[in-house]
Each structure stands twice: as C-alpha cells, then as structure tokens.
C-alpha cells in the first residue's frame, strides 16, 4: 500500500493553478511523551500525554472534541484507541478512524499516519469548513503527536507546541526491582504456550504506593486468574514467589 502528501505554500498553490476547493490546511501540531517506562507511570489505564497534548492542540485550534468532523486515533492495539478516546473526550460510539485502522489501512512502522493524513485530506475536501484530528503514538503508548487539519484557512500561521515540560512534571511511581511483603494486585496477564498457561506476569502495588513485578508459574493460580478477576486482591510476595492471601 502507498500514500503520499504534497505540501506547498498558498502562493505556490495559486501559481500552480490548484483550486482552493482542494486546499486543506494543517492548523496545529502538538507533541509530548508519557513517562518512558510503564513501570513508573501512575497507572496502566490512562495517558496524561494524550490528554495534555490533544487538549492543548484543540485549544490552540479553538475547537472542542464535539466539533471534530473526522478523527483517526492511532490503532496499534484496541486499548490504545480506548485510552485515547477517553483522554480526548471522544465517545467510543463515534467513528474513530478514517482508514479502517492500522490493521486494514496501515504500512510498515509509522507510515500508517501518512495513510491517515492522506485520507483525512480527501474527506476534508468534501466537507467545507470541516475539522479533522489525527493522532500518532510510538512505543508502549508512550510517544504522542497530534495534528489538527481543516479545509477552512487558519486565522494564524501554523502552530506547533511541545508539552513535554508539563508532562514531565506529573507524578511517577517508584518501581522496586525486588520486594518481600504484603501488596495488592494492580494488573496482570497470563501468557500461553500452545493451549496451556505458561506464565503469569503480575504488577503489584505496595502500601506505600510503589510498584513491583512478580511472575508465577503455579498452574492452579494461573487457571484461576484466567477464570476470575484478580485485580485488587491482596497478596504476599516472598523470594519472588506470589501467594494470594484472600
């Protein structure tokens, strides 16, 4: 699959005789990275980087989430779309892609965003005065870039903002490489080998709010984790072994 963009000044577009009905303007670009390691982030279900970066982009454009005619949220995995929609104030029931998503309209590595921008241009040409938001991310929901486009000309020159200082100032958790004591399961996943559970990776929080990780290969515990909800359960960690205490 392929995608291409042609960008030029208004003066050049006029000189080339390109009709104004085909012009789509980039209004705002914003970027900001969440804390690098998921192990030190406040939680696993939010992205302050998306919230701050996307919110500032819309603020600079002078629009709110309900005024966006088209949206393409980077869709490397379903939770990335769900987290982004929540942080940006977008209902999951609305259309959140203009391409069908990375699985259907993507290219190698980050080239997917080229596809989404190219498609956004096509759609905005058909919607005079319409607004579009494109998001991109890299890593484990870590690097965030947002672009806002419109077929209406901007009142100011293109604006770009880096929100990194504001994001870096947010709290983070201490991650303990080793820990013995009482804790609570924050999140977990069970990995399979063939048709059988092979290992469970468990993120735990201590009473002091520190995060630690522990693995389990106990077949009974892994079977229970697959069948029941274990988030929030108290545990005891001793010598890198996990025991659920209730």
């Amino acid at each position: 699959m392929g995608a291409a963009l042609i960008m030029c000044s208004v003066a050049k577009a006029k000189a080339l005789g390109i009709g104004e009905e085909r012009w789509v303007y980039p209004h705002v670009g914003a970027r900001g990275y969440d804390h690098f390691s998921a192990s030190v982030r406040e939680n696993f279900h939010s992205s302050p980087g998306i919230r701050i970066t996307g919110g500032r982009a819309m603020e600079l454009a002078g629009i709110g989430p309900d005024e966006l005619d088209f949206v393409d949220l980077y869709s490397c995995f379903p939770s990335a779309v769900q987290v982004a929609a929540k942080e940006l104030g977008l209902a999951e029931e609305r259309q959140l892609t203009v391409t069908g998503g990375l699985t259907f309209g993507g290219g190698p590595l980050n080239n997917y965003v080229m596809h989404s921008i190219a498609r956004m241009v096509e759609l905005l040409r058909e919607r005079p005065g319409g607004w579009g938001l494109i998001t991109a991310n890299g890593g484990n929901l870590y690097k965030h870039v947002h672009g806002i486009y419109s077929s209406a000309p901007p009142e100011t020159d293109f604006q770009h903002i880096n929100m990194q200082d504001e994001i870096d100032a947010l709290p983070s958790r201490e991650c303990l490489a080793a820990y013995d004591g009482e804790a609570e399961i924050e999140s977990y996943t069970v990995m399979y080998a063939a048709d059988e559970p092979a290992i469970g990776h468990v993120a735990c929080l201590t009473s002091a709010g520190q995060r630690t990780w522990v693995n389990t290969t106990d077949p009974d515990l892994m079977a229970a984790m697959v069948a029941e909800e274990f988030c929030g359960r108290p545990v005891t960690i001793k010598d890198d072994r996990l025991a659920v205490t209730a």
Side-chain angles (χ1 to χ4, degrees):
M1 300 182 68
L5 303 173
I6 298 176
M7 298 184 67
C8 64
S9 66
V10 166
K12 187 64 174 179
K14 289 180 177 179
L16 293 172
I18 301 172
E20 292 189 27
E21 73 279 359
R22 297 180 60 79
W23 298 0
V24 173
Y25 303 85
H27 279 238
V28 177
R31 63 178 291 182
Y33 296 175
D34 276 310
H35 297 326
F36 172 70
S37 171
S39 292
V40 304
R41 294 179 196 169
E42 184 70 13
N43 59 61
F44 299 135
H45 57 78
S46 69
S47 171
I50 292 177
R51 183 181 70 253
I52 292 171
T53 304
R56 182 59 174 150
M58 287 187 278
E59 181 183 345
L60 287 174
I63 60 172
D66 293 337
E67 297 172 84
L68 292 166
D69 298 283
F70 305 106
V71 173
D72 196 271
L73 301 185
Y74 195 85
S75 48
C76 47
F77 36 88
S79 62
V81 177
Q82 295 166 333
V83 170
K86 180 180 178 181
E87 297 291 12
L88 296 170
L90 299 168
E92 288 189 37
E93 292 74 22
R94 69 165 293 167
Q95 184 62 255
L96 296 174
T97 176
V98 297
T99 66
L102 177 59
T103 305
F104 301 98
L109 300 177
N110 288 334
N111 192 53
Y112 168 70
V113 180
M114 182 80 78
H115 292 73
S116 54
I117 296 173
R119 180 58 180 153
M120 183 69 76
V121 168
E122 292 177 335
L123 292 170
L124 289 174
R125 283 173 174 168
E126 300 170 0
R127 182 73 63 88
W131 290 93
L133 167 67
I134 298 230
T135 76
N137 77 60
N140 52 351
L141 206 60
Y142 157 53
K143 303 176 181 179
H144 307 292
V145 179
H146 294 71
I148 294 183
Y149 304 81
S150 180
S151 48
E155 295 181 0
T156 63
D157 289 340
F158 174 77
Q159 301 178 80
H160 175 265
I161 187 72
N162 188 333
M163 303 303 296
Q164 199 57 52
D165 288 345
E166 186 173 337
I167 297 170
D168 286 344
L170 296 174
S172 61
R173 290 189 186 273
E174 179 185 7
C175 184
L176 304 177
Y179 173 78
D180 284 349
E182 306 300 314
E184 180 182 283
I185 294 179
E186 177 187 20
S187 188
Y188 64 96
T189 189
V190 176
M191 307 293 289
Y192 275 66
D195 295 330
E196 299 295 328
I199 188 170
H201 301 295
V202 186
C204 299
L205 295 178
T206 71
S207 59
Q210 301 152 317
R211 181 176 285 121
T212 192
W213 293 86
V214 63
N215 296 330
T216 181
T217 55
D218 182 316
D220 293 334
L221 180 55
M222 289 189 293
M225 285 180 162
V226 171
E228 306 168 27
E229 178 61 79
F230 271 68
C231 289
R233 293 198 184 187
V235 296
T236 300
I237 302 171
K238 179 66 175 177
D239 298 328
D240 287 332
R241 295 178 67 86
L242 179 72
V244 180
T245 55

